[in-house]
């Protein structure tokens, strides 16, 4: 026999002197497993309470607590005179995005990050409509929309994951920061699993050292940048933005580099040491009139030009110079490798050297996510894996042989005991 759908009410009905604070939560027989809520003061034009599905995963106990909390807050608002008998205005997705992006303008975010959020805003307003009520959003629906758009556009799962993460952040901001609504309708949203195929996008140890070693036919900026990334695992954009005037610190004969927050993906400043090899290369660079004249450790302009431009070396030009260096050093060109291949090499080596200490590796590279370091940047060491597999097999053989000898010894002891008895 099936269970009867549950229902629960909190708050008070409307009286001559006060509006209603009645809140109702209930289950529907046609949608098992989901819980819905109505608030008497949130109605349609016809005067009927608007039915709001609670986020997926809401338990019945949590729904009852929510009803009590919502009714109490409504009652307190009525008693303090901060409400009236009119309908509570709900917020649309268009209004939410407008408020969120006004708030973004007050934050110190990288232009690339803001541009990405703007692309997500346009995508969702077209896909869902600016007029849809935020509280009516549904996790299943937005996941399907993003997945469909990804397939049609031929994108990777990273693409729809980014769109979903941006929408989730906006909705969460509206509830937690702006206090525009009490429920997060995307509480059950799941981001697609993404692990890029970077198996071939690494420089090996020999190639990394070649790139980090001075060569008379290689741009010295390439050599220095490669040396810094080999040491720190920092992104090329952060490395190229190092000021020769204010971002170098020497303490107890150790050189430290300041990676400023404005050039960090996570918007965090860090002070990171470099190796003696890199220290020497930086000391040589500081003697270059082009560095002194521009104030940048990596000045823009042709290396053979006397007057450097007063700006840092662009990532585009640095990457072109890197590939020219590959030709000189006879390092194979691999599409998509470039500077990030050195970062991946650093993380792989640093991870092994630290015994998998994600905090230590992250302090140097600036990546705070242990999962990102382990699953994305670290490369599996095939030699170590092969040695581990062989070691496990040898241990199994040894344990099996020891167990067999033990069994034979036990059987022999039993026979001897039976003979004597």
């Amino acid at each position: 026999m099936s269970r009867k759908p549950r229902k629960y009410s909190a708050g008070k009905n409307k009286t001559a002197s006060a509006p209603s604070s009645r809140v109702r939560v209930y289950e529907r027989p046609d949608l098992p497993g989901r819980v819905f809520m109505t608030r008497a003061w949130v109605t349609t034009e016809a005067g009927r309470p608007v039915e709001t599905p609670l986020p997926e995963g809401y338990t019945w106990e949590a729904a009852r607590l929510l009803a009590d909390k919502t009714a109490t807050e409504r009652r307190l608002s009525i008693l303090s005179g901060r409400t009236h008998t009119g309908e509570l205005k709900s917020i649309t997705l268009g209004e939410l995005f407008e408020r969120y992006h006004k708030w973004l303008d007050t934050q110190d975010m990288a232009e690339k990050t803001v541009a990405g959020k703007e692309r997500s805003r346009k995508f969702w307003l077209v896909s869902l409509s600016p007029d849809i009520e935020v509280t009516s959003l549904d996790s299943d629906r937005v996941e399907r929309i993003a997945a469909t758009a990804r397939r049609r556009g031929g994108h990777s799962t990273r693409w729809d994951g980014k769109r979903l993460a941006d929408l989730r952040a906006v909705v969460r901001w509206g509830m937690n920061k702006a206090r525009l609504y009490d429920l997060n309708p995307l509480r059950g949203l799941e981001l697609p699993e993404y692990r890029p195929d970077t198996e071939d996008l690494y420089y090996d140890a020999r190639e990394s050292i070649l790139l980090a070693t001075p060569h008379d036919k290689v741009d010295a900026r390439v050599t220095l940048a490669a040396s810094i990334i080999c040491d720190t695992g920092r992104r090329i954009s952060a490395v190229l933005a190092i000021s020769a005037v204010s971002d170098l610190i020497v303490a107890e004969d150790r050189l430290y580099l300041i990676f400023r927050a404005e050039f960090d993906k996570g918007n965090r400043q860090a002070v990171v040491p470099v190796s003696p090899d890199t220290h020497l290369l930086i000391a040589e660079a500081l003697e270059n009139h082009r560095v002194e004249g521009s104030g940048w450790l990596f000045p823009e302009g042709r290396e053979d030009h006397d007057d450097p431009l007063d700006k840092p070396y662009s990532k585009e030009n640095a990457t072109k110079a890197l590939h020219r260096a590959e030709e000189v050093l006879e390092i194979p060109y691999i599409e998509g490798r470039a500077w990030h291949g050195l970062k991946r090499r650093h993380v792989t080596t640093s991870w092994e050297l630290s015994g998998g200490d994600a905090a230590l590796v992250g302090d140097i590279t600036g990546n705070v996510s242990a999962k990102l370091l382990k699953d994305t940047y670290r490369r599996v060491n095939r030699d170590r894996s092969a040695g581990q597999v062989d070691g496990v097999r040898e241990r199994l053989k040894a344990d099996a042989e020891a167990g067999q000898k033990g069994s034979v010894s036990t059987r022999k002891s039993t026979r001897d005991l039976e003979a004597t008895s």
Side-chain angles (χ1 to χ4, degrees):
M1 183 176 180
S2 61
R3 177 176 56 80
K4 186 177 181 181
R6 294 171 289 190
K7 56 185 179 180
Y8 174 78
S9 296
K12 296 184 178 182
N13 290 326
K14 178 180 178 180
T15 65
S17 59
S20 176
S21 61
R22 178 68 72 185
V23 178
R24 181 170 171 259
V25 291
Y26 53 92
E27 297 174 325
R28 283 173 39 177
D30 58 325
L31 292 172
R34 294 299 302 270
V35 183
F36 297 81
M37 180 177 77
T38 59
R39 293 163 290 177
W41 62 96
V42 183
T43 62
T44 64
E45 292 183 1
R48 299 182 61 183
V50 173
E51 180 181 77
T52 301
L54 297 186
E56 299 168 46
Y58 240 82
T59 64
W60 179 247
E61 292 74 16
R64 290 187 54 164
L65 289 173
L66 178 64
D68 290 334
K69 176 178 177 290
T70 305
T72 299
E73 290 178 350
R74 169 71 172 176
R75 186 65 178 161
L76 289 173
S77 296
I78 293 171
L79 293 175
S80 62
R82 288 186 283 111
T83 189
H84 52 81
T85 57
E87 177 184 344
L88 180 69
K89 184 179 182 296
S90 59
I91 187 168
T92 66
L93 187 62
E95 293 169 336
L96 176 62
F97 268 115
E98 182 178 358
R99 293 196 190 193
Y100 177 73
H101 279 261
K102 284 182 178 179
W103 173 78
L104 274 186
D105 291 339
T106 67
Q107 306 302 302
D108 186 17
M109 289 189 176
E111 291 183 8
K112 185 178 180 180
T113 301
V114 175
K117 291 183 179 297
E118 176 63 19
R119 287 192 292 271
S120 290
R121 181 183 74 87
K122 291 179 179 178
F123 171 78
W124 288 115
L125 291 182
V126 170
S127 301
L128 290 169
S129 167
D131 299 324
I132 189 173
E133 292 185 3
V134 174
T135 53
S136 69
L137 294 178
D138 179 81
S139 296
D140 284 341
R141 182 186 177 193
V142 299
E143 286 173 15
R144 287 196 301 271
I145 288 174
T148 299
R150 182 245 302 165
R151 288 193 295 270
R152 288 177 177 173
H155 305 294
S156 70
T157 53
R158 186 178 185 180
W159 185 90
D160 57 330
K162 178 62 177 172
R163 297 293 176 272
L164 289 168
D166 284 342
L167 178 63
R168 182 176 64 179
V170 174
V171 172
R172 189 180 294 164
W173 175 88
M175 182 181 73
N176 296 332
K177 188 82 174 180
R179 303 287 184 181
L180 300 175
Y181 36 85
D182 297 326
L183 296 173
N184 181 352
L186 300 183
R187 183 185 177 205
L189 186 68
E190 294 184 2
L191 302 184
E193 184 74 21
Y194 170 72
R195 184 174 180 179
D197 182 9
T198 58
E199 178 63 26
D200 296 326
L201 302 184
Y202 294 76
Y203 288 103
D204 62 29
R206 183 192 66 84
E207 293 168 336
S208 299
I209 293 300
L210 272 176
L211 289 169
T213 302
H215 189 287
D216 57 1
K217 293 184 179 180
V218 172
D219 191 321
R221 290 169 295 186
V222 170
T223 304
L224 179 54
S227 190
I228 291 175
I229 299 174
C230 281
D231 285 353
T232 68
R234 291 279 164 166
R235 295 178 177 85
I236 185 61
S237 55
V239 170
L240 296 178
I242 295 173
S243 167
V245 178
S246 58
D247 293 340
L248 308 178
I249 301 174
V250 177
E252 298 179 352
D253 295 327
R254 169 70 74 171
L255 177 63
Y256 294 82
L257 303 181
I258 298 176
F259 292 100
R260 284 169 281 157
E262 60 192 290
F263 298 105
D264 181 74
K265 192 173 183 180
N267 201 34
R268 294 176 299 275
Q269 180 164 301
V271 179
V272 182
V274 294
S275 68
D277 291 337
T278 298
H279 188 164
L280 180 60
L281 291 178
I282 291 177
E284 293 175 352
L286 293 176
E287 295 178 358
N288 188 313
H289 73 281
R290 303 176 69 255
V291 172
E292 184 179 1
S294 68
W296 297 103
L297 191 59
F298 298 90
E300 181 65 278
R302 296 197 311 272
E303 193 176 29
D304 57 354
H305 200 274
D306 290 337
D307 299 317
L309 301 179
D310 188 21
K311 62 180 181 179
Y313 205 20
S314 71
K315 181 180 177 181
E316 178 183 5
N317 287 335
T319 302
K320 290 178 180 178
L322 171 66
H323 292 318
R324 288 195 294 271
E326 288 178 332
E327 292 180 11
V328 171
L329 300 172
E330 298 183 350
I331 295 174
Y333 168 77
I334 296 178
E335 180 70 31
R337 181 163 66 171
W339 295 105
H340 232 53
L342 288 170
K343 176 181 175 69
R344 294 187 178 101
R345 168 49 48 198
H346 168 90
V347 172
T348 298
T349 304
S350 185
W351 185 274
E352 293 178 359
L353 189 62
S354 70
D357 187 339
L360 177 57
V361 177
D363 285 344
I364 298 172
T365 65
N367 298 101
V368 297
S369 169
K371 179 176 176 57
L372 180 69
L373 287 169
K374 182 176 182 294
D375 294 345
T376 301
Y377 286 119
R378 181 185 67 94
R379 186 183 193 183
V380 174
N381 186 319
R382 291 178 177 174
D383 290 338
R384 292 186 70 197
S385 296
Q388 183 78 352
V389 168
D390 292 345
V392 170
R393 176 53 63 95
E394 292 304 316
R395 173 61 64 85
L396 287 173
K397 289 179 179 177
D399 289 350
E401 185 177 351
Q404 186 176 17
K405 288 180 179 179
S407 177
V408 170
S409 176
T410 300
R411 289 197 299 270
K412 183 178 179 182
S413 298
T414 302
R415 287 197 302 268
D416 292 343
L417 180 62
E418 291 174 347
T420 56
S421 60

